[in-house]
Amino acid sequence: VVENSLVFVKPWQGDVFCVDVSNPSSPFVRSRAPSGIRWGVMGLSGHNLYMGDKAGSEAEYMDVSNPDSIRMIRLHSLPGIIEAICASDSLLLLSYMSQLMIYSTTSPELPVLLSSTAIPDVSIASICLRGDTAFVGTVYGKIVSVDISDRRYPVIRGVYSPPAQPTSSAGYLAVGDSVLYCSYFHSMTVFSVADPTSISVLSSFP
């Protein structure tokens, strides 16, 4: 996870590191903190770092307001394996299998579940957020747009389904003003998402 000139990383079964990359030719570790998560996904909400365990059912909350002394505040037990996570200043989006879960992080130490929405696939692989629209990538390569303007009653607005059975999931998403970048196992696809109800492919490579 990247925030300004800081990068937060976590190796397998290792600590969480805060790395200063303000000088890209000479990055250095500002601080580190123990983690109870084995293999995780991360989301940053303000000065709060949330991590979900892809090998278990725990979630961690870390205070990263002081880059020189990051620290774990709480370890939560959740009802399933967390495959994807995304956070904004006041929201935390998690996936449990095919469920998109939206939490309020008004109280960072105790996120409050606002809603759960079934995504049309067996499991969610990735999530990203643009304003009040969440984009969800699935294990079978679908891209789903979800209107979360009403946090308690999200609405699916658009679904892109690959023309053929994909060889890998939509494992990573990044969104701009009108385009969505999706990485598959050996390729990347660029989608037009200017209209979230009509997701279409612009290009794919290699």
Side-chain angles (χ1 to χ4, degrees):
V1 176
V2 180
E3 175 70 10
N4 297 323
S5 61
L6 300 174
V7 178
F8 297 94
V9 295
K10 184 194 178 306
W12 169 264
Q13 291 187 329
D15 294 348
V16 176
F17 293 82
C18 175
V19 182
D20 190 316
V21 294
S22 53
N23 181 355
S25 64
S26 184
F28 65 95
V29 174
R30 293 274 294 267
S31 61
R32 61 192 289 178
S35 170
I37 285 177
R38 289 164 287 178
W39 176 36
V41 287
M42 292 182 173
L44 193 62
S45 176
H47 295 304
N48 309 308
L49 181 68
Y50 295 93
M51 293 183 295
D53 197 341
K54 296 188 75 169
S57 58
E58 285 79 37
E60 278 182 357
Y61 155 60
M62 282 191 169
D63 180 354
V64 296
S65 56
N66 179 2
D68 295 313
S69 181
I70 62 174
R71 58 197 181 97
M72 187 175 77
I73 303 298
R74 181 186 291 265
L75 183 68
H76 301 274
S77 181
L78 297 169
I81 293 175
I82 302 169
E83 292 289 347
I85 190 169
C86 179
S88 68
D89 287 343
S90 60
L91 292 177
L92 180 66
L93 282 66
L94 302 175
S95 71
Y96 302 134
M97 299 302 289
S98 64
Q99 296 292 315
L100 176 65
M101 319 287 285
I102 299 178
Y103 289 82
S104 167
T105 55
T106 303
S107 175
E109 295 187 31
L110 191 63
V112 175
L113 179 63
L114 300 178
S115 61
S116 175
T117 304
I119 300 299
D121 207 329
V122 295
S123 185
I124 294 171
S126 54
I127 309 167
C128 68
L129 191 60
R130 183 190 67 190
D132 286 329
T133 301
F135 294 95
V136 177
T138 75
V139 293
Y140 287 123
K142 292 180 180 179
I143 305 295
V144 182
S145 67
V146 184
D147 183 342
I148 63 167
S149 54
D150 186 336
R151 313 301 197 210
R152 295 188 180 277
Y153 299 98
V155 178
I156 293 175
R157 294 297 189 193
V159 178
Y160 167 83
S161 297
Q165 184 74 9
T167 56
S168 71
S169 65
Y172 179 79
L173 299 178
V175 66
D177 291 339
S178 60
V179 295
L180 178 76
Y181 302 91
C182 175
S183 70
Y184 294 95
F185 186 55
H186 287 302
S187 66
M188 185 177 80
T189 300
V190 182
F191 295 92
S192 170
V193 291
D195 178 2
T197 66
S198 181
I199 304 169
S200 59
V201 174
L202 293 176
S203 62
S204 185
F205 56 91

